[in-house]
Amino acid sequence: MTDDHHSTHDAAPDARNDHIRIYVDGQIVHRDEARVSVYDSGFLLGDGIWEGLRLYDGHIPFLDDHLDRLFEAALYLDLEIGKSRAEMTQAIWDTLAANEMTTDVHIRLMVTRGRKRKPFQHPHLSVYGPTIVIIAEHSKPDDSIIERGISLFTVPHHRGLPLTQDAKLNSHSKLNCIIALNHAVRSGADEALMLDPFGFVNTTNACNFFIVRKGAVWTSTGDYCMNGITRQRVIDLCRANDIPVFERNFSLVDTYGADEAFLTGTFGAQTPVFHIDGRVISGGVAGPVFHRIRALYKDLIRQSRD
């Protein structure tokens, strides 16, 4: 492992992002003029939800799935979004149009419970309606990460039971993951590998985690991690293309002995893992199953545009 750190969100700098226009509650303004109140629920308490999306050649793949997840989370949190799915979709496209964006764009859609009357947690203090922010940035994943790979370190911070904070919620409160990431970075790795409450391998701080053993793809049961949309597409692609795939409990014993390992997420799609807790995986190169899945996923993205 090297001393410099990489991330599944590595992207080349793009000067166009210095002047992007951001959607804030119905107005689209220069990034320097984008403002959210210090009384906002998201700032005060992490009381909000978000989605990350990609724009490829004028198309946002799996937009309906992202909106399903957003509105389901809002229902669970008793958070009134105040917009229909059609209105939210239009707001996204309006933001992209204002920035004249056509491809290689990452979109972060955020909804909080809104500005509060007092800086306390009770939801009834949020009397001004929700805050909706859409940030769209020119952001092309750094493909050299396929050659460099990602290193992981297993941390003591686990993904908890749903009775604490359900990991299926894409909430603004990410401290559990940030603490895990800090631990991993201090240990010389790029990201944190997190276990579930029973010690089974679960996810990383930012992405869903897969291993390959004897040609079969394994991932966690999904009970204690974000049920990623890219994760599900990879599972579906495996099933449709005769690649054995299992959602199951597995341990670090299985992980250290894996033939390949990789991560999935909206931004980077699939990213190979070359080191886990100092152990070399797949000889330090992206393996054949990874490359096949990545090619199938690229085809799926192309097909979704047609």
Side-chain angles (χ1 to χ4, degrees), residues 117-190:
R117 189 162 46 83
K118 287 180 172 292
F120 303 118
Q121 69 182 38
H122 202 295
H124 291 171
L125 293 171
S126 298
V127 297
Y128 300 99
T131 298
I132 299 174
V133 173
I134 304 170
I135 301 175
E137 293 184 322
H138 299 281
S139 188
K140 187 174 183 179
D142 183 359
D143 284 342
S144 68
I145 199 72
I146 306 301
E147 304 300 324
R148 299 195 310 268
I150 287 287
S151 63
L152 304 180
F153 183 82
T154 306
V155 298
H157 319 284
H158 62 72
R159 287 299 185 103
L161 293 164
L163 52 79
T164 52
Q165 179 172 311
D166 197 325
K168 294 183 180 69
L169 285 173
N170 216 9
S171 76
H172 280 212
S173 179
K174 305 297 286 185
L175 275 180
N176 175 254
C177 296
I178 293 167
I179 292 167
L181 176 58
N182 283 342
H183 190 116
V185 170
R186 285 184 175 275
S187 301
D190 299 317

Side-chain angles (χ1 to χ4, degrees), residues 212-218 244 257-260 289:
V212 180
R213 290 177 62 91
K214 298 181 179 179
V217 175
W218 295 12
D259 300 315
E260 302 178 37
V289 176

Side-chain angles (χ1 to χ4, degrees), residues 197-238:
F198 305 101
F200 294 111
V201 174
N202 189 250
T203 183
T204 75
N205 56 277
C207 296
N208 291 119
F209 179 70
F210 290 75
I211 62 173
V212 180
R213 290 177 62 91
K214 298 181 179 179
V217 175
W218 295 12
T219 192
S220 73
T221 62
D223 292 331
Y224 308 104
C225 67
M226 170 56 61
N227 289 174
I229 289 163
T230 308
R231 171 188 184 272
Q232 188 59 53
R233 287 300 184 283
V234 166
I235 293 169
D236 294 342
L237 284 169
C238 287

Side-chain angles (χ1 to χ4, degrees), residues 33 96 106 164 169 192 273 295 298:
E33 299 170 3
L96 294 169
H106 185 73
T164 52
L169 285 173
V273 174
K298 286 183 176 180

Side-chain angles (χ1 to χ4, degrees), residues 1-2 4 6-8 10 141-151 190 261-262 268 270-275 280-288 290-291 294 298:
M1 285 182 287
T2 59
D4 57 329
H6 302 294
S7 164
T8 50
D10 283 349
D142 183 359
D143 284 342
S144 68
I145 199 72
I146 306 301
E147 304 300 324
R148 299 195 310 268
I150 287 287
S151 63
D190 299 317
F262 61 92
Q270 297 83 34
T271 306
V273 174
F274 290 171
H275 299 90
V280 179
I281 306 296
S282 187
V285 296
F290 168 85
H291 280 299
R294 188 168 173 82
K298 286 183 176 180

Side-chain angles (χ1 to χ4, degrees), residues 35-81:
R35 301 285 187 271
V36 174
S37 170
V38 295
Y39 278 83
D40 189 81
S41 300
F43 175 76
L44 287 171
L45 302 161
D47 184 5
I49 49 179
W50 61 277
E51 287 292 322
L53 309 104
R54 294 289 298 171
L55 178 71
Y56 295 97
D57 296 331
H59 177 66
I60 302 173
F62 323 128
L63 176 59
D64 283 341
D65 295 314
H66 284 283
L67 292 177
D68 284 346
R69 191 166 66 180
L70 182 78
F71 278 83
E72 183 176 62
L75 178 66
Y76 177 75
L77 294 176
D78 285 327
L79 195 165
E80 179 56 55
I81 290 180

